[in-house]
Amino acid sequence: MKLYTYFRSSAAYRVRIALNLKGIKYDAAPVHLLRNGGEQLSEAYRAINPAMLLPTLEDEGNLIGQSLAIIEYLEETHPQMPLLPTDPAGRARVRSLALTVAADTHPLGNLRVLKYVTGELAQPEEVKLAWQQHWLRTGMATLEALLAHDTRTGRYCHGDSPTLADCCLVPQVFAALRFDVDLAPYPTIQRIHAACSELPAFQQAHPAQQPDAE
Ligand SMILES: N[C@@H](CCC(=O)N[C@@H](CS)C(=O)NCC(=O)O)C(=O)O
């Protein structure tokens, strides 16, 4: 199994956590998002993933893009250490938490979006940072409300073992800290992040632990 990844990509970080939680060995194929104008934009990578985004998983000749689709694929092919609950309502809740991050928060701070803000829209760096922080806070506030007001929240986002939702929460917290978002208003997120950070699967998936870390 091969994962096209970049150490700081939060979408790739989600998949690395899932791979580690399930104990799946994989080869990391780093694609540098900034070097040479962005290696994700090269012809070679476009042939692997026409979206020109990371991550891509290669398994038995299949190329799979989209981190959540990859994690669901891993869930179906490697059911050990399940990342989704068994009951339909629980599964829907975990997917809903994951999508709050992956669909409603992360895309607004993605590299190509920020490049458009400072490039075509000619906005200064301060506007770019304000944009990033605004959408990070908006996403964090939603996630905090969903977690804090639901009795199904446990040590982790859903109960007492990590799920797909935690695979999304931890990289999003990494992004928030990187862009100086104060986490004080989100105590449940902070508590869950601390619990996840005690697990080797999360520690080994951290950007600083990747072979391409700078
Ligand atoms: N929805 C996609 C998002 C993928 C994505 O946006 N990846 C970012 C890194 S976290 C990327 O490759 N950005 C490159 C660019 O914007 O040019 C997923 O979950 O896999």
Side-chain angles (χ1 to χ4, degrees):
M1 208 176 276
K2 186 197 274 191
L3 181 70
Y4 294 88
T5 177
Y6 176 61
F7 71 111
R8 261 196 310 242
S9 155
S10 54
Y13 189 179
R14 294 172 200 147
V15 175
R16 296 196 301 257
I17 295 168
L19 285 161
N20 293 347
L21 283 169
K22 287 181 172 291
I24 303 170
K25 297 266 171 281
Y26 66 97
D27 294 320
V31 175
H32 203 292
L33 291 186
L34 303 174
R35 199 175 292 153
N36 304 320
E39 292 175 356
Q40 77 279 20
L41 307 176
S42 68
E43 281 308 314
Y45 187 69
R46 190 201 294 251
I48 291 163
N49 186 335
M52 296 178 279
L53 297 171
L54 290 171
T56 304
L57 184 80
E58 190 174 330
D59 187 40
E60 298 184 352
N62 298 304
L63 288 168
I64 308 168
Q66 292 289 353
S67 58
L68 267 51
I70 295 170
I71 296 173
E72 295 248 6
Y73 169 81
L74 295 174
E75 181 76 355
E76 289 169 16
T77 54
H78 297 76
Q80 74 273 16
M81 183 65 210
L83 298 177
L84 286 169
T86 49
D87 62 305
R91 292 165 85 83
R93 176 172 186 254
V94 167
R95 289 184 173 120
S96 165
L97 292 168
L99 286 165
T100 296
V101 171
D104 294 350
T105 309
H106 167 268
L108 291 156
N110 197 12
L111 178 62
R112 63 183 181 177
V113 172
L114 301 177
K115 271 172 66 182
Y116 185 74
V117 170
T118 51
E120 279 87 336
L121 299 184
Q123 296 301 310
E125 288 295 320
E126 310 86 79
V127 171
K128 178 177 98 172
L129 184 63
W131 167 285
Q132 260 176 309
Q133 291 178 333
H134 171 77
W135 293 116
L136 280 162
R137 287 191 199 107
T138 303
M140 287 285 171
T142 303
L143 199 55
E144 176 66 26
L146 290 169
L147 291 167
H149 305 304
D150 194 313
T151 54
R152 292 170 293 181
T153 302
R155 178 167 172 78
Y156 302 103
C157 287
H158 191 84
D160 293 329
S161 55
T163 62
L164 171 66
D166 301 285
C167 295
C168 293
L169 178 144
V170 166
Q172 201 57 34
V173 168
F174 175 79
L177 292 172
R178 193 172 153 217
F179 296 107
D180 288 331
V181 170
D182 178 13
L183 294 183
Y186 322 116
T188 318
I189 293 176
Q190 284 197 69
R191 176 182 64 69
I192 292 170
H193 180 262
C196 290
S197 301
E198 289 178 14
L199 301 178
F202 285 82
Q203 292 164 3
Q204 288 155 16
H206 191 278
Q209 301 307 316
Q210 302 316 299
D212 57 329
E214 290 166 359

